[in-house]
Structures are given as structure tokens and as C-alpha cells.
Amino acid sequence: MAKIELINVSKRFGKTTALKNVTLEIQDKEFFVLFGPAGAGKTTILNNIAGIQIPEEGMVRIGDEVVNQVDPADRNVAMVFENYALYPHMTVYDNIASPLRSPRYKKFKDNKAQNEAYIKEAVHKVAAMMKIDKLLERLPSQLSNGQRQRVALGRALVREPNVFLMDEPLAHLDAKLRNAMRSELKEMQTAFGTTSIYVTHDFMEAMSLANRIAVINLGEIIQVGTSDEIYYMPRNEFVAQLMGDPEINLLECTLVREDGSSLCWAECPEQLIPMPKHEELEERTEGMEQIHVGLRPQNVHYHFEKVPGAFTGNVYSFETIGNKSVLTVQVGDQHLRVIAPNGLPVKLDQEIFVTMEIDRAIFFDAGTTEYIGRFDEAAVKELVAEQAKEA
Amino acid sequence: MSPTAKKRLYAVLKNGGLAIYSVFALFPLLWMVILTFKSDAEMLTTTFVFTPTLDNYKQVLFYTDYFRYIKDSVIVAGGAVLVSVLAGVPAAYAFARYEFKNKEKIAFQILSFKFAPEILVVLPLYMIYQKLGLYDSYLGLIWVYQLISMPLIIWVVRGYFEDISVEIEHAAQVDGYNWYQVFLKFLLPLIKPGLVSSALLCFIFAWNSFTFPLLLAGIKIEPITVAATKYLAQSTVHYGQMAVAATISALPSIIFAICIQKHLVRGLSFGAVKG
Amino acid sequence: MANLTIKNLFKRYDNVGKKTKTVNDYAVNDLCLTCNDGEFVALLGPSGCGKTTTLRMIAGLEEITKGDIYIGETRINDLHPKDRHIGLAFEDYAMYPPLTVYDNIAFNLRAKGVAKGEIDGRVRDIAKLMHCEELLDMMPVKLSGGQKQRVNIARAIVRRPEILLMDEPLSHLDGKMRQSMRVEIKRLHIEINCTSVYVTHDQLEAMSLADRIAIMDLGVLQQFGTPMEVYDDPVNEFVAAFIGEPPMNILETTVIKDENDFFFTFAESELRILVPARYYSKVRDGFRVKMGVRPMDLYVGGPESKGNPERVAVFENLGDERRIGVRVGEHMMMLITNDETRYRHGDIIRLEVNGEKTHLFDLETGDRIRSDR
């Protein structure tokens, strides 16, 4: 149980830089998620904490100790690998028992029988928790992917490490199993009671599991915060696009001010959207002409009849994403994604109307794509503070 | 022709072909074994009907230095395999896991040791060995046998190491094992099929080697392959004794081949390690 | 353009070992299917269900054990693949590597001896349709996964097939790419309006692309219907569990009678759910059955709700929706809500069920038990 710190860590492979000046502080007992697209450097961060790789620059600290020079075996970390890395020649039981038999983590160094008895108890306890107690005699090759994944988790959970490192443990499962396992992992979280660092590219895993999330891209930390903070106040458009499926709608808008007065209008493709009064936002957008308005698909609504303030568009596509559907509406040359219930009777290219909840929109600087603000920022900040307190 | 009749015909042809081939392959061996039981008098006058005798075996085993030849062969072939394993496995690991300059070129260079005909390299080696004092010594023969065994072991075992995902090593390290323990407890069991089969195959190749020991040894040290020719060189040709020497010297190869044939096929075809 | 009719189709592999669990060792078992002219039909099922075998039989790449396949009025069983007027887009982009994209698309037309000028016109038209004009001079190795798939489909439709067959064309693509290609395939279908058969194991793909879905398991057709039919009105437990994400909650239950009402009860759980009145003629006290309800059809009751108090085992805030998991014995019952209330592990909620949307399945056969209405 310990706090983990990375201070200005840089890692290079040959000429490519995998990590650039990464500084992170992960609190004791926190469930911390590293989130980003493929190749962002998430796994490299884990490997540097585990000691599998050593940074060229910077410091890695576990607890109060700088561990740059410490062997993986002596860091007391447990890791779940993306490809599970089970020992193919050992049974499930021996796989899970492996850390407890190692010279480093043996409980009873001089008494083999006592050690084995302890291992038996520990392995059975973990196996029961992971629901693999009936598979203990099997070899990894005789297991399904979901079962292998549980064994890999079991092998990490069997001892009490300083930190659990989990590298995309659910990535190779099919969608159904992944969701089911995510829920179970979430349920088990309370049982971990140990600092955990979890790598994923799936925003649902990040949202669901994390106390805090670090968004990473191209070896750099973009934003660190609670799931609400990142979802509602993304630092830039890149983060906003990553967090959410279907992706956030980004509209290019021109700001229109009525002769110097503070009233704002946003001119999107062909139509004006009235903006509520909000002094802080007005200050922040002062001098700007172009902004990007980010609207999550659940904040855009479709109508079959013309309503006041609605945009007119055509149905571009309609497809289900499981328990709900995504309706894509073409307005001018922009595509707007809208959440709709399954089985909505629409035909492609038919005329349809959309309205937008502008008070839930996120505004971005058109030039830098950085976050500017949102109308309900105060409420969101309250929510974030509450969530942070809970964590 | 109906499909069943077609299938039956195919089966007959297939088995007939295999039968002919097995006679072709096994008859020389059978002939050699028959010779060992014939006396010199019956050697050229009979074919399958003769009075069996064990005289040839007695002669070879009790009145010549046969066991010394066997001992020499075991030392030289065994030594060569041992050295190849000790040096070849780490080399294979390095080829599989590390990136270094000219890696593939070096790997190919090692394999190319097997390309040159033995007779081509043996003459310069003879001169060098004379100068270095390695001529007719165990060390010299073991050294030169590496040419036969090392490339095979490195290439087979390298394939095995490449099949083991590097995460398995990382997982074992994180589990609390240092590198040597990781190697012994996790890697060795996984490369075992390849290592054992390639090592045994090397042993057979080394055991059967003839050109190198013929020219680089032969006075103090006489492996069985070279010694077998002695029965030719003496005043009369004792075919029976020669057959005995050949039969016994072939035994280890045959026994090994039979024991390991299952593992050999599996062991030499890569991709045997599956997570 | 034509319709495709499959009549009592069987496929049996001679050397099927004990490994295949298909009924009577048939990879495809008595399949009857009719795809109307211009219809987009998805063959959906887990691996080994016979969907690819069926497609290959339509294409003529696999021998038919028994049964007939018609395109329009023509029986095509004995026709050579090239004479069947079909276009094929494979799972693993079978492109000719030494040829440019242009030549790859033109290959089949050249083989058929189409005039040079016409080939050029058709290739360029198709490339425009598939948004791959700028790729025409590139080599296949240079293309990304999505581009390859585009070219692949272009190649399949350039010969103006009567039936377009696609075998998991998107399975190699990653999430976002897959989604955008899905939209493009759908739009393409509307533009060329060609009868299409699409093989997939991904129920989302089938749901969003197909006009009708044929769900197969162990070589047997389970249900053939529109996406909403198979979603709302599954014929058996297999279809109910296979369609939908997150999957339908399906739990074993014992029905008990309490005064005049029937309730579902569950092992190792206090949960009691009122049996909808329409099932009263089907259930009796002590009746054992499986009950299925989709996560969207469960909801959290208000303060005056009479629903069972249940402990929240999992609460997941996924941004646009929230998922609540409740433990019912071994099973985790999932509930999806758009309500923005936050719960914590261990909070008590009143669980309510939309009785209209509950399904019953026979414990043994998995067949749906339908209500009287």
C-alpha cells in the first residue's frame, strides 16, 4: 500500500520518445486510470512503475523510496498483462501460486510444508472470488479468454503488493464479456483496498472504474481529473472526442455580438443559436470570432415536426449501438449525432429537425482547440468537488 | 467407379507404396544384422540359410579395443552436445530477445557453418590443429564437432524463445523471481521439447561423423566410426566383425531416434508453445 | 438484381469429427431463407454456427450436400462460381498484391473481356461511389485496413452482381473505423440497391445494417426477422441472449402464488417480481421457468414505489447513461437509466420492472413461452 509518484519521467526507444516529462502523483488506495488511444504511452508508464523498463530521465517513487534502480522482483508490485502472460506449462493453481512460491514473497521461508498450506488457502480464496475454483487443475491452453483473464487477475490478487498494475485486462474479451467483467471488477474494487493503476483505451472502463483519470496522448499527460471533470470539462477537443461513444459533436460557430452589448449569439452553419447570458463566458470569449461548440449526442434532440429554433436536416444514417441508437443528421455540411431509441421509424434522407441544449454545450477555442467554458460550469464544478471528496 | 471403390483402391496403392519403401529402407539394416551372425566361411556362400554363431561378437567385444572406441565416441559426441547446449542456449536467447547490430547476419553466419562440405574445411583445420597441438585430442574433436551441433541448437532453440511472449518473463519477474530463477523455472520448461530434441539430433549427427575424426584424430583417439574401418585394413576382410562393430555403433542412434521420434517431429516444428 | 431463395439446404462435412457440436453433424441443417430483391440480409451467429458455410455455398465455393439455391428463377447449384452473377467481399482482403488498386478493381472485368473504355468508366464510377478515387494508383500494401476494405467492396460490386456477398468485411477494423465503414456500407446499399447477404458474428453490425437478420446456431436457423422483431420478440432464449448489449437479464425463477397474485422468486434472493397478468394462464404455484428482461426495461422506483428494496452492487456512470447492477443470487441484474442521480455501492433502490417487456423461456428447451395476448 503506497503512494506512487512519477517525476519528470522520460523514456526513449532508439530515436522515438515514448514518454515526455511525465509527472503523476497517485494517492494511496486510489484507483487510477491511464486513458488514451493506442500508442499513447500508457503501457510504457506501467512498465516503468513495474521496473520492466527504466526511464532515461526522471524519478519513479513507490512510497518514499526512489525505485529507479530496484529490480522488478523487489518492487512488490503485481501486474496483469494485456495478453495475460500465464505460464503455459503450469496449471491454473500453480500460476496463481507462483508469486507466493517465489524467493521474494514466500511467507514462510524455512518451512516448505507450512508455506504450501498457506498457499493452498490463499489460492482457493482468490479462486473462489474470481469464480475459477473449478478450473484449478487445468492448463491455460484449456481455458477460454475470459477464464484466462480471471486467472491473470487472480495471480495479481493473491498477494498484498504495494500497487496493482493492470494493462488493458479486458481488451481481448468480446463486448458482452467485457461489460460483464467491468461491472464485476467495479464490484470487487472495494475488496482491493490497494493502490491500483489501470490502463485502458475504452472510455467506459475509464469512466466506470476510476477515482481519477489521466488522459495521455503521444507520451504526454493531457489532463488529470475525476471522471466527471474530464467528461464535463475536457481540457481540449481531443479529450472531449475520446470521452464518449458516440463521439461528441463539434460545430464550427461564429460569435455574433449585438453592437457592443454583452448579448451573445452563435452563428452555426446557417442559423443563429441564442446564447443565455453568462458574464464569465463573455469575458473568456472576448475578442474571439470563431469558436467550436461541443455538444454530446444526448444533448441534441430530434423532432419530426418543425419546432421553434430547430435546425432542418436530413437523416444521414441510423444505427443501433445496443440499447439505444445513433441518428446521424446532416445539417448543411455538418453531421450531427443524436441519441435515439431503438426502432425509431426513420428513412434515410428524410427531412428531420434538431434542437440543441446550448446550456449543456462545451466551448472550445477554434484556433488552439483548448477548453473555454460552459454555461453550467459552476454546477459541474460542484459535482466534481463532491466526487473528489467521495474518492 | 463408385466413390467407395475409389477410396479402397487408393488405400491399397498407398499401403503398397509404403511397403515397398520400407523394404528398401530397412533391408540394408537387416542384411547387416544377418552378417553379424555368420561365420567367415559362410559369409559369401549363403544368403538367409546358415548356422548362426556369436563368434563375431566375441571377437569384437573381447579381442579388440571396441569399448575404448565407444568411450571415445561418447566423450567426443557428448562433450560436443554439452558445450553446444551451454553456449548455444544463451546465444539463442540473445538472438531471440535482444536487438544488436548485424544480428541477422551473425545468425546466418552461424548457420552457414553447416553449409561447407566437411572435406573442404578439414584440410586447413588439419594444418591448424597440428600447429596448435589440438590434433588427436578430445578437445580438438569436441571443438570441431561444434560445427555440426551448435547451429542446429541455436536455430531451433531461438525459435522456441521467440514463441515465448516476453511478458511471461516480465510476469515472473514481477512475481518475485530474479533473472536466473526466471530462466530455470519458466523458460527452461518451455524450451525443453526443442532443446531435448535438437540436442539428441546433434548427438546422433556427431556420433555418426566420420570425416572429421578420420583426419583430425585416429591414433590415440578413435571414435567408433573411424575404428570400424580397421576391420577392413587388416590382412583379411572380416565382414562379420565389421558388421558387428557397425551394428553396435548404430544402436545409440537407432534407440534415440525411436525414443524421441514423437518429440522430434513436434520439437522441431516451431510454435509448440501456446499460451 | 434478383431475389435469392434457399430451400432445405444441408451441408455435411465428411470428416467432421466429434469436435463439431452441430445437430447430427450437419454444419448447415435444413436452412430455408428468402431474400427479396434489393434486401439486405445479415447471417448472424457465433463462430461455427454455419453462417460462413452458407455464404460459401451461395458463392459456389463449397459443395452443397442437399437442397437448392435459386437466384431469381435460376437454380444455381451446378453453376460455376463465375457464372452465378455474384460479388464477393471477403474477410481477409484477398487482393492481388502486385497490381495497383485500379488493376485490382478492373481485374474481373478484363477477365470477362469487357471493352477497355467501358472498364475505365466503370472503375472510376465505382471508385467515386466508394470514396477511393485517390487510391487508384496505389499498391495494396500501402493501404490502411479501412481503405483495403473499401477497395475490396468496390471490386465486388464493379461487375454489377445480382447478389453481393460479404463475409465479416469489418472484423479486422478497429472501433471508430468500423463504425464509419458501417455507415458507408449502409449508404452504399441504398445507392446500388443490390440484394446483399452479410455474414457477421457481431450483433450490433447486423442490427444496424440489415433489413432482416437470420440468426443461426449449430447450423440451424433460429429466427429470421427485422432487427426490431428479433430484439423485441425473440423466439427463444438463444436469440434473446445473443441480441442486445448489454445482454438481456435472464434468470431462473420459481413462481409462487400469494393470495391472488403470482410472483417470480429467485434463489438466494429476497427479490419478488409480480408476474404480469397476461401470463397467469401459463404459470402455477411452484412453476420453474426462466425470466428475461432487458436492462432498459428495469427502472428505479420513486419514493412511493412498491418495488423490492435492493442493494446497489455496482454503479457505473458512463457519461451519457448510468448502469446499476443488483445481485440476484449468482446473477448480476443490470439496469440502465438516463436519470442523473448518483448511487453508491450499498445504497438501497426500489427495483421496478416493466411487466410488458418481460419474457418467459422454457427451462429445458429455451423456447419462448408466449402470453395469451
Side-chain angles (χ1 to χ4, degrees), chain B residues 62-135:
Chain B
F62 302 130
Y63 300 104
T64 63
D65 283 340
Y66 193 77
F67 286 106
R68 189 167 68 83
Y69 308 147
I70 292 268
K71 187 192 79 185
D72 284 350
S73 270
V74 168
I75 290 176
V76 177
V81 170
L82 193 71
V83 174
S84 305
V85 168
L86 289 180
V89 171
Y93 182 84
F95 278 126
R97 282 286 186 261
Y98 298 117
E99 284 305 321
F100 47 89
K101 224 176 157 188
N102 295 330
K103 177 168 115 169
E104 289 309 319
K105 283 181 192 156
I106 296 171
F108 184 77
Q109 181 70 42
I110 289 173
L111 187 68
S112 72
F113 290 156
K114 279 190 85 81
F115 293 169
E118 291 174 6
I119 199 76
L120 199 79
V121 290
V122 79
L123 287 175
L125 272 176
Y126 176 81
M127 319 265 282
I128 296 167
Y129 270 39
Q130 289 281 12
K131 285 262 191 278
L132 289 177
L134 286 171
Y135 180 75

Side-chain angles (χ1 to χ4, degrees), chain A residues 176 179 182-183 186-187 207-208 228 231 247 298 316 319-324 348-349 360 383, chain C residues 176 182 187 190 204 207-208 241-242 245-246 314-317 319-321 323 327 336 340 342:
Chain A
K176 273 183 197 168
N179 283 313
R182 191 189 64 225
S183 306
K186 172 98 185 169
E187 196 187 9
M207 288 288 286
S208 164
D228 277 339
Y231 187 76
E247 217 175 274
Q298 67 267 29
Y316 179 76
E319 51 167 11
T320 176
I321 52 166
N323 55 62
K324 60 195 171 209
L348 295 201
D349 296 328
R360 312 230 46 189
L383 201 68
Chain C
K176 289 242 160 101
R182 213 155 68 185
R187 290 212 62 93
I190 285 166
L204 281 184
M207 291 283 279
S208 57
F242 199 80
E245 204 302 299
V314 175
F315 174 73
E316 296 185 278
N317 178 7
D320 60 336
E321 66 179 33
R323 296 187 183 182
R327 277 273 169 209
I336 294 182
E340 299 208 357
R342 277 149 206 272

